[in-house]
Amino acid sequence: MEAKFVMEHEVAKILDHHEYAAVATVENQKPRLRRMPKYNKGLSIYLVADRKSQTWDPESKTPVSLLVGHEESGSQEAVEIDGSLTLHTEEVLRRQIWREEFGASFSGPDDPDYVILQVKAVRIEYTDKDGQKHEWFDY
């Protein structure tokens, strides 16, 4: 149990360090990869999206894969997450996540096109600074 706690701590540390994630979904039976703003509270992960985009399907839990890390100074530390996306509608969280840079795409945190997607992880793979991989399922 202690090993899992340590791994969760390391994963959360990497998530905290990065504001964006590489996000992969399938749209019209084709893979789509994009860089999206990410927010997390520990291992609870949220993405910022435009309601008009094809990033997610509001009728179902859209399958998703995220990659966080491998961005700076050749570090091997990274987190890969497989799971699903669901719409998150809590107003407090919408305001908490809002950043001024989003003003280029949205009129403000009350803009109906500004949506928060919650990632429900089913598999997390953590690569530590030595390149060792650690994996667990059904988080």
Side-chain angles (χ1 to χ4, degrees), residues 14 18 67-80 125-128 131 133:
I14 290 173
H18 298 278
L67 173 63
V68 179
H70 282 305
E71 295 175 0
E72 301 166 6
S73 67
S75 171
Q76 293 188 48
E77 283 188 304
V79 175
E80 295 178 40
E125 182 177 286
Y126 161 62
T127 304
D128 65 25
K133 293 186 184 287

Side-chain angles (χ1 to χ4, degrees), residues 36-100:
M36 294 178 72
K38 174 205 65 64
Y39 175 80
N40 65 289
K41 290 195 254 184
L43 297 182
S44 297
I45 304 163
Y46 305 91
L47 302 171
V48 174
D50 188 328
R51 184 176 300 278
K52 296 177 279 191
S53 76
Q54 297 295 316
T55 303
W56 54 285
D57 177 1
E59 303 300 320
S60 66
K61 295 180 177 182
T62 302
V64 66
S65 289
L66 277 68
L67 173 63
V68 179
H70 282 305
E71 295 175 0
E72 301 166 6
S73 67
S75 171
Q76 293 188 48
E77 283 188 304
V79 175
E80 295 178 40
I81 299 169
D82 293 332
S84 60
L85 293 175
T86 56
L87 182 62
H88 189 80
T89 57
E90 183 183 317
E91 285 300 318
V92 172
L93 187 63
R94 288 170 52 92
R95 292 184 182 287
Q96 186 176 6
I97 290 174
W98 179 261
R99 293 186 236 165
E100 289 303 315

